[in-house]
Amino acid sequence: MKGIILAGGSGTRLYPATKAIVKQLLPIYDKPMIYYPLSVLMLADIREVLIISTAEDLPAFKRLFGDGSKLGMNISYQQQEAPRGLAEAFIIGESFIGNDSVCLVLGDNLFYGQSFTEILRKVAAKPDGATVFGYPVKNPRDFGICVFDDEGKVISIEEKPTAPKSNYAVPGLYFYDNNVVGIAKGIKPSQRGELEITDVNNEYIKMNKLRIQLLGRGMAWFDTGSPSALQSARAFVEMIQNRQGNYISCIEEIAWRHGFITSEQLRRLGSELKSCEYGQYILNLVGEKI
């Protein structure tokens, strides 16, 4: 399975903070926002990742990650000329996806919770169809919302409904088989001129091949596209890290624990950052017994 991070968009809801920098490089507490969705792919044991962004912003991501080899990964980059919808990621990334299945995660989404790694691995192992996630929200009118039948099966997904039929939103994390490329090519732009991911999901529902994985009280999800949500995410990460001493979305640690890199490689990565607490945390891991 391969992974795509969609990190484009103009970030106008975060103006003026994003007038000079793409929002996925804004810090969520001690690390760039894009570390959080990248960590999700890594937790699912995905090592080939495509980052899609604008021509203006791609050089910054390349400076941050390079080719991914320091993390034991293969990271490549492609341009999205204009924000034409989430589903366009599969068209842009067609050659990258090849004959594989693919996971798409949005560059401004943060997930955290116990057993999340096991959930991701289980979902990634599904050979066909699609899997989306359901997360209970207080304000369902602001999200794509799952509609269930009497047996709890998803029968449709409604985008920002005025009369929501459930409170389960679909976060920005999607797993698809290789059919998603053809499906994305076949859907028509919405009234706002975009290829909607909801339309892709509804096509899988028509084929009876969409599964939903509900995320319960033990999970946290943040869509950090607004100032208040960004601040909430920052406070959450700060609280967890300072109370537990375990870092959220430390990509170097994940690469090490998942066998992408050796202890010596981890030591070198920590040494490059030794002047800050983040680097000291990495160095402290090297002598830790798992």
Side-chain angles (χ1 to χ4, degrees), residues 250-283:
C250 176
I251 56 177
E252 296 85 356
E253 177 182 6
I254 297 170
W256 175 60
R257 293 193 182 277
H258 283 240
F260 297 1
I261 60 174
T262 65
S263 294
E264 180 54 35
Q265 288 173 304
L266 180 67
R267 189 190 307 276
R268 288 199 295 268
L269 291 173
S271 296
E272 294 174 3
L273 303 167
K274 62 183 179 181
S275 61
C276 66
E277 290 185 4
Y278 185 88
Q280 293 163 14
Y281 172 80
I282 293 171
L283 289 173

Side-chain angles (χ1 to χ4, degrees), residues 6 19 42 49 135 168 192 199 221 225 238 272 275 281:
L6 191 56
K19 291 197 74 173
M42 296 172 70
V49 174
Y135 188 87
Y168 276 94
R192 58 179 185 169
D199 291 339
W221 166 53
E238 179 182 19
E272 294 174 3
S275 61
Y281 172 80

Side-chain angles (χ1 to χ4, degrees), residues 8-226:
S10 53
T12 52
R13 288 191 296 160
L14 288 167
Y15 272 10
T18 52
K19 291 197 74 173
I21 186 173
V22 65
K23 67 178 176 180
Q24 289 84 5
L25 291 177
L26 292 175
I28 296 183
Y29 188 49
D30 60 349
K31 58 190 76 72
M33 184 187 293
I34 196 171
Y35 272 43
Y36 297 88
L38 177 61
S39 73
V40 171
L41 299 178
M42 296 172 70
L43 289 173
D45 287 325
I46 296 172
R47 300 176 68 166
E48 292 185 67
V49 174
L50 173 67
I51 295 175
I52 297 176
S53 189
T54 65
E56 180 182 5
D57 297 316
L58 279 176
F61 291 116
K62 291 178 181 179
R63 288 194 299 271
L64 185 61
F65 298 123
D67 62 2
S69 58
K70 285 188 175 182
L71 295 169
M73 302 179 67
N74 184 347
I75 299 178
S76 54
Y77 307 86
Q78 283 191 247
Q79 175 185 343
Q80 185 179 37
E81 295 180 358
R84 299 193 186 99
L86 307 186
E88 191 187 31
F90 306 112
I91 300 173
I92 294 172
E94 180 179 7
S95 60
F96 166 77
I97 296 168
N99 296 320
D100 292 314
S101 53
V102 63
C103 173
L104 172 67
V105 59
L106 304 189
D108 58 0
N109 275 225
L110 184 159
F111 297 85
Y112 181 76
Q114 189 173 9
S115 302
F116 190 44
T117 299
E118 288 74 14
I119 292 172
L120 291 171
R121 284 173 166 168
K122 182 181 72 173
V123 170
K126 304 283 186 186
D128 62 351
T131 301
V132 299
F133 295 82
Y135 188 87
V137 294
K138 185 178 179 180
N139 50 336
R141 291 182 180 86
D142 295 337
F143 300 95
I145 295 297
C146 298
V147 179
F148 300 94
D149 63 15
D150 293 338
E151 297 179 351
K153 181 180 178 181
V154 177
I155 56 176
S156 70
I157 298 174
E158 297 180 349
E159 189 66 30
K160 297 181 180 179
T162 55
K165 296 181 177 66
S166 83
N167 70 327
Y168 276 94
V170 179
L173 176 62
Y174 318 89
F175 287 78
Y176 298 106
D177 63 17
N178 194 255
N179 292 317
V180 71
V181 175
I183 291 173
K185 288 181 175 180
I187 63 174
K188 296 180 180 180
S190 64
Q191 290 184 346
R192 58 179 185 169
E194 296 189 2
L195 300 179
E196 305 288 354
I197 199 73
T198 296
D199 291 339
V200 171
N201 292 331
N202 281 326
E203 286 299 315
Y204 274 97
I205 290 175
K206 291 177 184 177
M207 296 186 296
N208 198 30
K209 287 190 174 183
L210 184 130
R211 297 173 293 269
I212 184 162
Q213 174 73 48
L214 298 181
L215 301 174
R217 291 188 176 187
M219 280 296 305
W221 166 53
F222 295 89
D223 175 354
T224 59
S226 68

